[in-house]
């Protein structure tokens, strides 16, 4: 079955390509091969390739830069989903898309369920929410998988940044009052392929389209995440010392984009509907560090 992956060179795009099942004939297009914000290119590419399924891993992910480039971020994270949805609907292909915990305000005190009221606090979050709405409007057969704090051995992410800073500095200050679920990119890819497999097996019967939450457990702060990264990296000999990690507040580390203080996703719906469990991010971190060490 032909599956088109857009944004294929990113963290999740790479993991999707690497983890593709045998039944999938993957066509992986990076940003230079298909710009998802180019409506005509999206339309032509989908009608030419005629995939049976589209997985969109393309996104504008520079959360802070998006504050100054909201229009461009909105074209890629928002409008493009309308283009992809419409083009996919024309050829009868479902679209699997990835969204974010940043569609929420972060003012909650309990994990966010899928039907919780969104309230993005950043340009990135607003663009991603617009993309969810664009996709839902343009293509009935869609899955939106909201995830959080993505990391892998590939590309830029918090793990890579901490390893670099851990080599450079004996002491680091890391935010401890934002809570969320770090999520390995390979676990997101595995969940998407499992969903694709469920859809494929059940073709003809009613698939439960819609929004699902998927993030790693247990809940952590960035400080807790950093501490685990240093401990595991030291144990593997990736770092020769463990830097001291000082807990600071968000107010002590101002950034252009406001981030949700509490962005914990309730992942029960995905488990109840498709038996897809939350991954333990600490195990995912071990895999990533092993990969970094072996590279
Ligand atoms: N990273 C996180 O912590 C996080 C958290 C929650 C949700 N998510 C969501 O998870 C999904 C995957 O994110 P990721 O971490 O894999 O991001 P990533 O590593 O930044 O990859 C995004 C990819 O999209 C490509 N892209 C950018 N603009 C494009 C365009 N106009 N057309 C086609 N491709 C384009 C980028 O290519 P270039 O590099 O060539 O521009 C990049 O390869 C995204 O939907 C993101 O919003 C991520």
């Amino acid at each position: 079955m032909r599956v088109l992956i857009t944004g294929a060179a990113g963290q999740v795009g790479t993991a999707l390509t690497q983890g593709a099942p045998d039944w999938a004939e993957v066509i992986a297009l990076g940003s230079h091969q298909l710009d998802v914000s180019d409506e005509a290119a999206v339309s032509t590419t989908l009608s030419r390739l005629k995939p049976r399924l589209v997985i969109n891993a393309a996104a504008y992910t520079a959360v802070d830069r998006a504050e100054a480039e909201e229009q461009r971020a909105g074209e890629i994270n928002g409008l493009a989903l309308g283009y992809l949805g419409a083009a996919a609907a024309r050829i009868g292909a479902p679209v699997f898309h990835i969204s974010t915990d940043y569609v929420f305000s972060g003012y909650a005190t309990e994990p966010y369920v899928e039907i919780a009221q969104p309230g993005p606090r950043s340009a990135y979050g607003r663009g991603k929410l617009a993309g969810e709405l664009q996709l839902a409007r343009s293509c009935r057969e869609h899955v939106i998988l909201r995830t959080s704090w993505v990391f892998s051995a590939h590309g830029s992410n918090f793990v890579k940044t901490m390893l670099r800073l851990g080599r450079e500095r004996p002491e680091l200050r890391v935010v401890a009052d934002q809570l969320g679920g770090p999520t390995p990119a390979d676990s997101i890819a595995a969940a998407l392929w499992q969903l694709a497999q469920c859809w494929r097996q059940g073709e003809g019967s009613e698939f439960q389209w819609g929004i699902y939450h998927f993030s790693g457990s247990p809940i952590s702060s960035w400080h807790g995440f950093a501490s685990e990264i240093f401990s595991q990296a030291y144990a593997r000999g990736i770092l020769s010392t463990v830097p001291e990690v000082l807990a600071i507040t968000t107010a002590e580390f101002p950034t252009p984009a406001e981030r949700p203080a509490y962005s914990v996703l309730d992942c029960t719906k995905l488990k109840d509907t498709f038996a897809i469990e939350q991954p333990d991010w600490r195990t995912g971190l071990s895999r990533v560090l092993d990969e970094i060490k072996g590279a």
Side-chain angles (χ1 to χ4, degrees):
M1 177 185 289
R2 182 171 289 184
V3 180
L4 173 64
I5 298 173
T6 54
Q11 295 191 84
V12 175
T14 302
L16 278 165
T17 310
Q18 287 174 348
D22 290 343
W23 55 260
E25 180 208 338
V26 168
I27 300 183
L29 301 183
S31 59
H32 301 296
Q33 292 147 310
L34 176 62
D35 175 354
V36 294
S37 69
D38 180 338
E39 185 174 12
V42 167
S43 176
T44 313
T45 304
L46 265 68
S47 42
R48 181 170 51 84
L49 296 174
K50 293 199 175 34
R52 289 289 295 115
L53 170 68
V54 177
I55 307 181
N56 178 44
Y60 181 113
T61 54
V63 174
D64 285 321
R65 197 171 354 119
E67 294 300 312
E69 292 183 1
E70 182 154 6
Q71 190 182 340
R72 183 64 187 139
E75 285 167 4
I76 299 167
N77 292 342
L79 293 176
L81 272 301
Y83 308 152
L84 282 167
R90 277 197 292 276
I91 55 167
V95 177
F96 288 6
H97 174 59
I98 306 148
S99 192
T100 172
D101 53 331
Y102 284 19
V103 299
F104 294 116
S105 68
Y107 296 153
T109 49
E110 285 182 13
Y112 283 100
V113 292
E114 286 78 355
I115 55 170
Q117 184 68 34
R121 313 282 309 158
S122 61
Y124 169 75
R126 286 189 289 275
K128 293 294 292 185
L129 179 60
E132 293 186 3
L133 299 172
Q134 288 279 353
L135 180 58
R137 268 190 221 119
S138 56
C139 183
R140 190 186 74 83
E141 296 191 335
H142 67 270
V143 168
I144 293 167
L145 196 71
R146 290 192 188 128
T147 190
S148 57
W149 300 20
V150 179
F151 65 93
S152 76
H154 180 87
S156 314
N157 55 60
F158 186 74
V159 174
K160 306 275 283 292
T161 304
M162 286 301 113
L163 290 178
R164 177 173 51 77
L165 294 177
R167 281 190 197 99
E168 292 169 5
R169 303 180 193 174
E171 188 181 280
L172 291 171
R173 291 149 45 86
V174 184
V175 171
D177 60 357
Q178 287 172 28
L179 295 179
T183 314
D186 63 355
S187 298
I188 299 171
L192 288 166
W193 284 124
Q194 214 173 316
L195 285 168
Q197 172 68 358
C198 289
W199 165 71
R200 181 174 162 258
Q201 277 172 344
E203 245 182 321
S205 63
E206 195 48 35
F207 184 86
Q208 300 297 305
W209 304 109
I211 301 178
Y212 293 89
H213 288 174
F214 179 76
S215 65
S217 80
I219 297 165
S220 177
S221 67
W222 292 109
H223 177 270
F225 190 13
S227 303
E228 181 69 18
I229 292 165
F230 293 132
S231 152
Q232 288 203 23
Y234 178 70
R236 281 171 176 74
I238 296 173
L239 292 179
S240 53
T241 54
V242 174
E244 191 171 351
V245 190
L246 303 175
I248 60 164
T249 63
T250 302
E252 290 175 276
F253 188 73
T255 52
E258 194 181 326
R259 278 138 172 99
Y262 184 87
S263 64
V264 180
L265 300 174
D266 182 320
C267 302
T268 313
K269 185 181 169 194
L270 194 67
K271 184 178 173 199
D272 289 351
T273 316
F274 295 105
I276 297 177
E277 303 268 356
Q278 285 187 267
D280 185 323
W281 60 263
R282 296 163 302 188
T283 317
L285 178 62
S286 308
R287 288 193 301 276
V288 164
L289 293 176
D290 284 343
E291 194 178 335
I292 288 172
K293 188 169 184 202

